[in-house]
């Protein structure tokens, strides 16, 4: 596969696994620089992510850069677009995004003198938590590392045999970047802000006056 210089919203990509004859697959769900032009002052994290894209990866691992089943194995992770394009990557098709199905990493944000916010997508929702509670997880906006995205995709897909350095396998690859990895704490957060933890991001944002569909 040759180098590509551009990747667009909805593009399905295949990445060759280093020192292997296999590929893993993903799709671009949100492009911060291209889509988030409507800046709002509510302390969300999207400005911080700058030139990044939100991606998902799939369970399919194949010896050919072809995919027909799209079972999500790694949901909604931000990565640097530059780092994504530096991989041995090719675009194999495009599938339009349904904004009602898009989710975002969930994190904390400490904003003085406002307090501790629950931040997800373009939302920054004030909580009543103190520093001690937030420090139980220390989950703040963090860019995903392409190596660990590959590692997690292979691990969760049951293909540890393709992981070259077995010592890099871990229980939680994204414990510092997404509160969705802490179900108990996440439930407490949603109770604190008076929301149902099973609500979709789309519906949660809509309740707060933001329709994600306007970006698509």
């Amino acid at each position: 596969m040759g180098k590509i210089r551009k990747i667009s919203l909805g593009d399905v990509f295949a990445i060759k696994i280093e020192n292997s004859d296999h590929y893993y697959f993903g799709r671009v769900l949100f492009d911060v620089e291209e889509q988030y032009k409507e800046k709002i002052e509510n302390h969300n994290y999207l400005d911080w992510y700058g030139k990044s894209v939100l991606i998902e990866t799939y369970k399919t691992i194949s010896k050919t850069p072809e995919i027909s089943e799209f079972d999500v194995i790694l949901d909604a992770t931000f990565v640097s677009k530059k780092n994504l394009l530096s991989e041995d990557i090719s675009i194999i098709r495009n599938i339009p995004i349904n904004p009602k199905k898009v989710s975002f990493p969930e994190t904390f944000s400490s904003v003085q003198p406002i307090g501790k916010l629950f931040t997800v997508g373009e939302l920054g929702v004030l909580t009543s938590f103190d520093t001690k509670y937030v420090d139980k997880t220390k989950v703040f906006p963090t860019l995903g590392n392409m190596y660990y995205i590959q590692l997690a995709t292979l691990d969760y897909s049951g293909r540890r045999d393709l992981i070259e350095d077995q010592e890099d396998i871990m229980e939680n690859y994204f414990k510092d970047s997404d509160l969705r990895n802490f179900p108990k704490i996440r439930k407490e957060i949603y109770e604190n802000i008076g929301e149902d933890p099973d609500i979709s991001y789309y519906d949660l944002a809509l309740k707060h006056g933001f329709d994600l569909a306007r970006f698509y």
Side-chain angles (χ1 to χ4, degrees):
M1 294 188 291
K3 286 287 185 182
I4 61 174
R5 297 181 180 275
K6 183 178 180 181
I7 194 163
S8 302
L9 193 66
D11 279 349
V12 177
F13 55 84
I15 294 181
K16 184 78 180 308
I17 300 168
E18 190 173 0
N19 299 323
S20 166
D21 57 356
H22 287 75
Y23 300 85
Y24 75 94
F25 303 86
R27 181 166 67 136
V28 176
L29 305 175
F30 193 85
D31 186 319
V32 179
E33 186 176 38
E34 294 297 322
Q35 291 177 268
Y36 190 62
K37 301 180 185 298
E38 177 188 330
K39 309 298 183 183
I40 55 175
E41 297 296 329
N42 71 336
H43 306 290
N44 71 60
Y45 56 46
L46 288 179
D47 282 339
W48 185 89
Y49 279 112
K51 297 181 179 181
S52 302
V53 289
L54 186 75
I55 67 169
E56 64 186 12
T57 65
Y58 303 112
K59 186 176 182 180
T60 296
I61 308 295
S62 173
K63 285 189 175 183
T64 59
E66 300 171 353
I67 181 172
S68 58
E69 296 183 0
F70 296 87
D71 299 323
V72 175
I73 203 73
L74 188 60
D75 187 24
T77 300
F78 277 111
V79 297
S80 160
K81 187 190 292 188
K82 179 180 178 181
N83 289 348
L84 176 63
L85 293 177
S86 70
E87 297 290 303
D88 189 356
I89 182 173
S90 65
I91 297 169
I92 55 178
R93 62 185 297 185
N94 185 282
I95 301 176
I97 304 296
N98 179 354
K100 293 185 178 181
K101 301 294 185 181
V102 175
S103 65
F104 290 86
E106 299 179 348
T107 70
F108 282 121
S109 179
S110 295
V111 180
Q112 297 296 338
I114 296 174
K116 309 301 180 185
L117 304 182
F118 170 65
T119 47
V120 52
E122 63 180 320
L123 297 183
V125 183
L126 182 64
T127 74
S128 61
F129 295 129
D130 57 17
T131 299
K132 183 178 180 181
Y133 183 89
V134 171
D135 281 350
K136 284 198 295 185
T137 59
K138 295 183 179 179
V139 175
F140 298 103
T142 308
L143 277 177
N145 178 292
M146 290 305 301
Y147 174 67
Y148 285 104
I149 285 170
Q150 173 181 292
L151 206 63
T153 300
L154 292 174
D155 188 357
Y156 300 161
S157 299
R159 295 305 309 266
R160 286 188 173 186
D161 58 299
L162 294 175
I163 296 176
E164 192 169 22
D165 193 339
Q166 296 281 308
E167 292 184 356
D168 288 343
I169 294 172
M170 60 181 70
E171 182 177 347
N172 190 337
Y173 296 93
F174 305 100
K175 65 179 181 179
D176 298 324
S177 61
D178 199 334
L179 287 161
R180 292 177 296 179
N181 291 292
F182 300 91
K184 181 177 181 295
I185 291 176
R186 184 177 183 271
K187 182 179 179 181
E188 292 173 352
I189 292 167
Y190 273 81
E191 289 176 353
N192 188 269
I193 65 174
E195 298 289 355
D196 181 352
D198 293 325
I199 192 172
S200 68
Y201 171 76
Y202 182 86
D203 288 335
L204 179 63
L206 206 57
K207 286 183 68 173
H208 288 264
F210 303 106
D211 187 349
L212 185 65
R214 75 190 191 280
F215 296 129
Y216 295 85

